[in-house]
Amino acid sequence: GKTFIQKLRNDARTAYTPVIALSKDSRPGRLSECLRNGCDEYLVKSGKIIEELLSLVSNALGVDQSAGG
């Protein structure tokens, strides 16, 4: 994870690619750690994960979900 994100961030072609980490690790401080390592968002797997993930991806892509898109 961390090494992969560093490679993305150090490559001009992928430096600004949004990274959303998805994990079942909900330990305190995990969000902060992931953000420090270059993630844009961190989600803990849950029952609502699909809705949350779709919302984050839509936001990252600039898609207005209220317009049905």
Side-chain angles (χ1 to χ4, degrees):
K2 181 179 176 180
T3 302
F4 176 73
I5 294 169
Q6 288 173 343
K7 286 182 181 183
L8 281 176
R9 297 299 183 224
N10 290 327
D11 185 326
R13 298 169 296 174
T14 58
Y16 298 101
T17 300
V19 175
I20 302 171
L22 179 61
S23 176
K24 60 182 178 175
D25 185 351
S26 62
R27 291 178 289 161
R30 189 67 176 132
L31 169 62
S32 299
E33 180 183 344
C34 284
L35 295 177
R36 275 194 314 274
N37 290 330
C39 287
D40 296 290
E41 297 287 347
Y42 181 81
L43 288 178
V44 176
K45 292 178 186 177
S46 69
K48 298 188 316 180
I49 196 66
I50 297 300
E51 292 86 9
E52 291 180 55
L53 186 57
L54 286 174
S55 176
L56 287 173
V57 170
S58 293
N59 288 340
L61 297 175
V63 174
D64 181 3
Q65 289 184 306
S66 66

